[in-house]
Amino acid sequence: MSSTVLFTIAMLGILGFLAAVILYFVAQKFRVVEDPRIDLVNEALPGANCGGCGYTGCRAFAETLVKSTSFDGLNCPVGGADTMGKVALILDRQPVAVEPRVAVLRCNGTPANAARTSYYDGAVSCRVAHSLYGGTTGCHYGCLGCGDCVDACKFDAMYMDPVTELPVIIDDKCVACGACVKACPRNIIELRKRNKKDRKIYVSCVNKDKGGPARKACKVACIGCGKCVKVCPYEAITMENNLAFIDSYKCKLCRKCVAECPTGAILEIGFPVREERPAQPAEAATN
Amino acid sequence: MFKTFPKGGIHPPENKLTADKPIVVLPVPPQVTVPVSQHIGAPAVPVVEKGTEVKAGQIIAEAKGFVSANIHSPVSGKVNKIDTFVDTTGYKQTAVLIDVQGDEWVETVDRSTTLVKEITMTREQIIERCKECGLVGLGGATFPTHIKMTVPSGKKCDLVIINGVECEPYLTSDHRLMLERGAEVLTGAAIIMKALGVERVIVGIEANKPDAIKHLTDLAAGFQGITIQPLKVKYPQGGEKQLIKACTGREVPSGGLPLDVGVVVQNVGTAYAVYEAVQKNKPLVERVVTVTGKKVKEPGNFQVRIGTPVTSLIEAAGGMPDDTGKVVNGGPMMGKALAMTDVPVTKGTSGIILFPSEESRRAVVQPCIRCGKCSSACAMGLEPWLISVLSEKAMFEKAEEEKITDCMECGACAYTCPAKRPLLDYIRLGKSTVIRMARERITK
């Protein structure tokens, strides 16, 4: 009885030792040398794996960061300056200040502004609706309202407003990862420079039709009149395909264009109420 | 003996309300809108401009590129403008708007109704004529006919199948065409046979059209090599691959074309158009459209000019019933709901169906329970539940491995789904994405 137990222990011991020796040599032979900083950087990153940096996940981004020689074009939009500062410390480099950005919805096609011409009954997905037809309004560029962007947001920074039928971006929670920008089949959402107090001036329209049809489809469409381009003292506004675009990096938030716009397509958000001319109503919804 | 395809298939209620309604030729509308893209492939390029006087049958847009088709003026009059319009596909595209004045045709078009049976043209001439006349497949896919009739080197064609199945519920335009223009359809089939250099034509017709089967069988006695094949009623028998399997037992390989098994399939409507183009030199400017629906006052089959607004078709059928919930362009299975009725009839418009609101809305979507009904219904042997979820979750590489591109979008899966899942919506999305990905791979 006892000899069986002893024999078993001895055999297992010898086997274990042999396996250990083999494993030791195998480990020596096939050792992968990895930069220890990758782990450190990976820990410093938020770990959301949102892909906002342009890489498949935080680990892939950490590897890229360690391999890179400068921070040019590399930024974690989620962690922002804090995280990049920590990464810079680990990698012993100077951090590069990247201006924070925020997602902005460039459509104001609420049922009040853009009359509904049809009822969409298909799968609840903007991608599907977009592949089928122009949409429930006369505007073939605007928001379809199925909420693909909301589904894509990993930071709980968006929700669908049942009244306006448009998604709402919560500025405080938005980290500008760009997931919603990619999810939107109509390229309505844009990442713009985040200004002080979350102030914004932007053209809330992506309709590239000529003035007449655009206005017919939606009361607050950009009709491409070009008044804003003329009035802008900083050359921040460009006009392409009957659609004005305000460069958020050139814009100095003077608000001259807002007063000039005949359809109210340019929104100003986060500003105090004007003395001489009250701000356009019904904008808070698209905030 | 009724034949059919072995795998999958469903039996939706037929509702062929207009089967005994003769084709009515509608008057020319005061204005037509002719889109320059009414076919698969590159849009045609307009060759007229604002103010140009055109005659019916005159070319107004020329084919551009290999896969493309000419567009002819369906009416005589003056070009009002060339602008973008929303067409039946729901997208904006360029169209030529013509104000109608009188009804004057180009002199070369023979508008008499006498049957010309003798085929004097050579193979090359026939194909060239089909190309000139802007012929496309009228079954719905609108693939340019002249390309289908040109057998590429290395391939061999030994059989032509004429598709008279019309398996879509409600639609009867092909049925009426076979009954009323049967001799022309069969002559067209003989022309296609000559163009492809084959000896044999099979006309496949489903058993729910016994009058058409009898009529064509009688007529076929006067033609060399044409046989009529009655088929069991089953959807989607009108699909090329299903029809070939049903008629011959040959199976088109995955990703392949009917030519891979030596077959070319043409719709009866196309055969009729081929007859008109070759024997009468008449371009494709008219087609038969079924306008129907359970509450429509006077449903019927109408022969209309391309570019006629759908609204005037609905007027012709007694106006839109009050509680219409959905207007579908095409059959109820594969057709597409129209976002607006102010769109023109194109070469691919086979029917306009007006559904009452209680029949039109989709039911509430419930979770998939993996019952496998969709897999049993799929005539292509796919797993619709799987490829639809893969498309929904944007796993397109995986969907490609599951042969999503073999799907012909017949909708049998979504029809049979007890959870009412929008299977086809997602499959369509995935299919188009996978095709685009594959194309990008080739160009890279």
Side-chain angles (χ1 to χ4, degrees):
Chain A
M1 178 65 188
S2 66
S3 67
T4 316
V5 173
L6 284 176
F7 180 74
T8 310
I9 291 170
M11 274 314 285
L12 279 175
I14 293 163
L15 273 176
F17 180 73
L18 279 175
V21 171
I22 294 166
L23 276 176
Y24 173 77
F25 284 108
V26 171
Q28 289 293 316
K29 174 82 181 159
F30 296 105
R31 184 160 57 156
V32 178
V33 189
E34 195 184 47
D35 196 323
R37 292 179 301 173
I38 293 176
D39 278 335
L40 291 173
V41 173
N42 191 27
E43 264 168 48
L45 293 173
N49 291 319
C50 66
C53 52
Y55 296 88
T56 45
C58 291
R59 179 84 192 176
F61 185 50
E63 282 171 20
T64 315
L65 277 170
V66 172
K67 272 186 213 146
S68 66
T69 49
S70 79
F71 285 142
D72 275 351
L74 298 173
N75 180 43
C76 173
V78 179
D82 278 1
T83 302
M84 291 314 284
K86 276 188 215 158
V87 171
L89 214 65
I90 296 165
L91 298 178
D92 199 18
R93 284 186 217 154
Q94 281 300 313
V96 182
V98 176
E99 282 183 274
R101 295 190 292 175
V102 67
V104 170
L105 181 80
R106 290 186 294 168
C107 178
N108 203 2
T110 60
N113 290 334
R116 298 315 194 229
T117 55
S118 63
Y119 174 82
Y120 176 65
D121 196 24
V124 187
S125 156
C126 301
R127 287 182 304 154
V128 171
H130 178 65
S131 69
L132 285 174
Y133 77 129
T136 49
T137 70
C139 174
H140 286 196
Y141 301 89
C143 181
L144 291 158
C146 296
D148 278 15
C149 49
V150 177
D151 293 342
C153 184
K154 289 188 180 173
F155 299 94
D156 225 2
M158 295 182 94
Y159 65 90
M160 289 302 295
D161 189 318
V163 178
T164 62
E165 297 178 19
L166 293 171
V168 179
I169 298 158
I170 305 165
D171 288 345
D172 295 343
K173 287 186 180 173
C174 177
V175 296
C177 70
C180 52
V181 177
K182 277 182 213 148
C184 180
R186 303 211 145 173
N187 290 322
I188 293 169
I189 305 172
E190 185 205 349
L191 294 179
R192 293 174 73 85
K193 184 182 142 193
R194 196 187 273 262
N195 296 310
K196 254 187 259 167
K197 294 182 185 166
D198 278 327
R199 286 181 170 168
K200 293 188 202 99
I201 298 232
Y202 63 98
V203 181
S204 185
C205 183
V206 287
N207 194 322
K208 291 185 181 121
D209 282 342
K210 284 178 201 150
R215 187 70 208 275
K216 204 177 155 196
C218 180
K219 280 186 210 157
V220 291
C222 171
I223 53 171
C225 64
K227 279 186 173 175
C228 52
V229 179
K230 279 182 207 137
V231 80
C232 182
Y234 306 104
E235 293 181 347
I237 309 182
T238 47
M239 181 71 68
E240 207 177 314
N241 298 325
N242 305 310
L243 179 63
F245 174 73
I246 305 176
D247 187 332
S248 57
Y249 291 93
K250 287 183 185 164
C251 176
K252 304 269 194 263
L253 305 177
C254 72
R255 297 200 274 169
K256 278 191 179 140
C257 52
V258 182
E260 201 65 31
C261 182
T263 59
I266 304 178
L267 298 187
E268 53 169 31
I269 286 164
F271 291 90
V273 179
R274 292 178 190 223
E275 301 262 318
E276 68 276 31
R277 186 173 177 272
Q280 294 283 329
E283 286 153 5
T286 54
N287 184 9
Chain B
M1 233 287 279
F2 293 157
K3 290 184 176 177
T4 190
F5 61 98
K7 201 183 278 172
I10 52 169
H11 299 95
E14 285 166 25
N15 288 321
K16 304 262 190 191
L17 312 170
T18 51
D20 53 355
K21 296 268 170 32
I23 297 171
V24 178
V25 181
L26 280 196
V28 184
Q31 197 177 51
V32 291
T33 310
V34 189
V36 294
S37 176
Q38 302 182 30
H39 45 262
I40 285 187
V45 183
V47 290
V48 288
E49 49 192 52
K50 189 178 169 177
T52 311
E53 298 272 353
V54 291
K55 284 179 184 172
Q58 184 183 330
I59 188 160
I60 52 170
E62 262 171 19
K64 187 177 179 255
F66 180 63
V67 183
S68 188
N70 288 339
I71 307 280
H72 300 77
S73 175
V75 293
S76 65
K78 205 178 204 177
V79 176
N80 182 306
K81 59 178 172 178
I82 298 169
D83 204 349
T84 50
F85 291 90
V86 179
D87 73 351
T88 43
T89 58
Y91 300 108
K92 279 193 181 170
Q93 61 148 302
T94 308
V96 181
L97 202 84
I98 304 169
D99 290 328
V100 179
Q101 292 158 357
D103 192 21
E104 204 180 322
W105 284 69
V106 174
E107 291 79 30
T108 49
V109 177
D110 174 11
R111 295 194 67 213
S112 66
T113 49
T114 41
L115 176 70
V116 185
K117 218 168 150 183
E118 199 187 342
I119 307 160
T120 50
M121 285 194 175
T122 62
R123 280 176 75 165
E124 289 74 23
Q125 280 173 325
I126 293 171
I127 292 169
E128 190 54 37
R129 178 61 69 80
C130 290
K131 191 176 173 181
E132 275 169 25
C133 287
L135 259 52
V136 300
L138 294 182
T142 61
F143 190 79
T145 306
H146 65 273
I147 302 171
K148 227 169 164 179
M149 293 225 257
T150 317
V151 181
S153 57
K155 296 263 168 71
K156 243 194 100 208
C157 177
D158 65 348
L159 175 68
V160 170
I161 296 179
I162 299 295
N163 187 346
V165 174
E166 202 161 55
C167 59
E168 278 269 10
Y170 286 98
L171 300 188
T172 55
S173 53
D174 288 354
H175 183 185
R176 292 311 306 181
L177 207 58
M178 286 188 283
L179 277 180
E180 294 175 36
R181 321 260 164 92
E184 285 89 341
V185 168
L186 291 188
T187 314
I191 296 168
I192 296 168
M193 192 157 76
K194 185 170 181 187
L196 286 159
V198 299
E199 306 282 288
R200 215 152 59 90
V201 172
I202 297 176
V203 184
I205 307 172
E206 276 191 351
N208 57 2
K209 296 180 260 300
D211 45 353
I213 295 172
K214 186 169 178 303
H215 183 59
L216 287 196
T217 312
D218 294 347
L219 285 172
F223 289 87
Q224 198 76 41
I226 296 182
T227 45
I228 311 296
Q229 177 63 60
L231 301 162
K232 247 185 229 171
V233 180
K234 187 156 86 173
Y235 183 86
Q237 196 136 245
E240 280 194 324
K241 291 167 187 175
Q242 280 62 42
L243 185 59
I244 294 169
K245 182 83 182 169
C247 289
T248 66
R250 300 179 199 177
E251 187 161 311
V252 180
S254 166
L257 290 170
L259 258 182
D260 294 335
V261 291
V263 183
V264 166
V265 182
Q266 297 282 11
N267 184 267
V268 286
T270 317
Y272 180 67
V274 167
Y275 164 80
E276 287 209 308
V278 174
Q279 307 292 56
K280 306 271 182 177
N281 198 10
K282 188 177 163 193
L284 183 52
V285 292
E286 280 180 310
R287 72 156 299 148
V288 181
V289 181
T290 305
V291 184
T292 179
K294 281 181 188 162
K295 297 205 172 159
V296 175
K297 277 198 207 98
E298 296 153 35
N301 302 291
F302 301 101
Q303 183 177 328
V304 292
R305 305 285 169 92
I306 304 294
T308 305
V310 167
T311 39
S312 60
L313 267 175
I314 296 173
E315 284 308 314
M320 195 183 298
D322 287 339
D323 66 336
T324 302
K326 206 179 249 180
V327 179
V328 171
N329 168 38
M333 299 298 294
M334 286 191 73
K336 213 171 124 177
L338 291 175
M340 50 204 274
T341 50
D342 196 16
V343 292
V345 168
T346 64
K347 291 176 183 176
T349 310
S350 50
I352 300 290
I353 308 174
L354 290 86
F355 285 102
S357 45
E358 71 262 20
E359 279 187 10
S360 68
R361 290 287 161 91
R362 292 205 191 181
V364 178
V365 176
Q366 283 167 350
C368 173
I369 52 164
R370 303 290 192 275
C371 66
K373 273 195 166 180
C374 53
S375 302
S376 332
C378 182
M380 296 302 290
L382 302 171
E383 291 187 90
W385 62 272
L386 178 62
I387 52 177
S388 109
V389 166
L390 290 173
S391 317
E392 192 180 340
K393 305 288 176 205
M395 295 164 77
F396 298 115
E397 286 87 3
K398 200 97 175 92
E400 192 176 4
E401 284 169 27
E402 297 290 341
K403 305 280 180 200
I404 192 169
T405 48
D406 278 351
C407 171
M408 58 169 158
E409 306 176 15
C410 71
C413 51
Y415 177 84
T416 193
C417 180
K420 307 293 173 208
R421 297 196 61 78
L423 295 165
L424 184 58
D425 296 41
Y426 284 108
I427 293 174
R428 272 192 188 137
L429 174 75
K431 189 180 159 190
S432 59
T433 313
V434 166
I435 290 172
R436 196 171 61 238
M437 272 163 48
R439 208 173 284 151
E440 276 165 15
R441 264 203 307 269
I442 293 166
T443 48
K444 249 175 210 170

